[in-house]
Amino acid sequence: MNDSLIDLGINGSLILIAIGLVMALVFFIVHSIMNIKESWKALAGIIGVVVFLFVMYTMASGDKTGALLAGKYADITPETVKMVSAGVNGALGLMAFALISWVVLEIVNLFR
């Protein structure tokens, strides 16, 4: 496997995360100016996502296991494995949170 393609994908996802965080911060600043009392919710959401992604990164293992032990994957670094593991676990965690939030909020709206 070509390690440069993996690095390109990881760097691309990091750039997209950075763009998303910048956009969220800009939205927070604009929202804060317009409605100062409700702006803490946006800040809490931004901080929550950053903390969640940091926890996923620190919990991710850089160990090669399974198919990655084969000789053709010898050039993949432990840092690459850790970033991929953190990205996959982070994406799955955020998707699970979105799905659970959607179901719970629909149930809450049903009883309003």
Side-chain angles (χ1 to χ4, degrees):
M1 179 171 285
N2 192 352
D3 201 29
S4 64
L5 287 176
I6 293 173
D7 290 341
L8 180 65
I10 290 173
N11 291 335
S13 65
L14 289 175
I15 290 170
L16 290 175
I17 289 171
I19 290 170
L21 286 175
V22 168
M23 289 174 65
L25 288 173
V26 168
F27 173 75
F28 168 70
I29 292 169
V30 170
H31 190 67
S32 296
I33 293 169
M34 294 182 173
N35 190 359
I36 194 77
K37 290 183 180 181
E38 295 292 322
S39 63
W40 66 272
K41 293 178 187 177
L43 182 62
I46 294 168
I47 291 172
V49 169
V50 169
V51 167
F52 177 75
L53 292 176
F54 177 74
V55 168
M56 288 292 107
Y57 179 76
T58 56
M59 288 176 44
S61 173
D63 298 335
K64 293 183 188 180
T65 58
L68 292 177
L69 294 175
K72 64 181 180 177
Y73 300 115
D75 58 338
I76 296 176
T77 64
E79 182 64 26
T80 302
V81 174
K82 185 171 183 163
M83 290 292 286
V84 169
S85 176
V88 169
N89 291 335
L92 290 174
L94 290 174
M95 283 190 294
F97 177 74
L99 182 64
I100 291 168
S101 298
W102 177 44
V103 170
V104 168
L105 290 174
E106 286 298 324
I107 292 171
V108 167
N109 286 337
L110 182 66
F111 291 109
R112 273 195 195 176

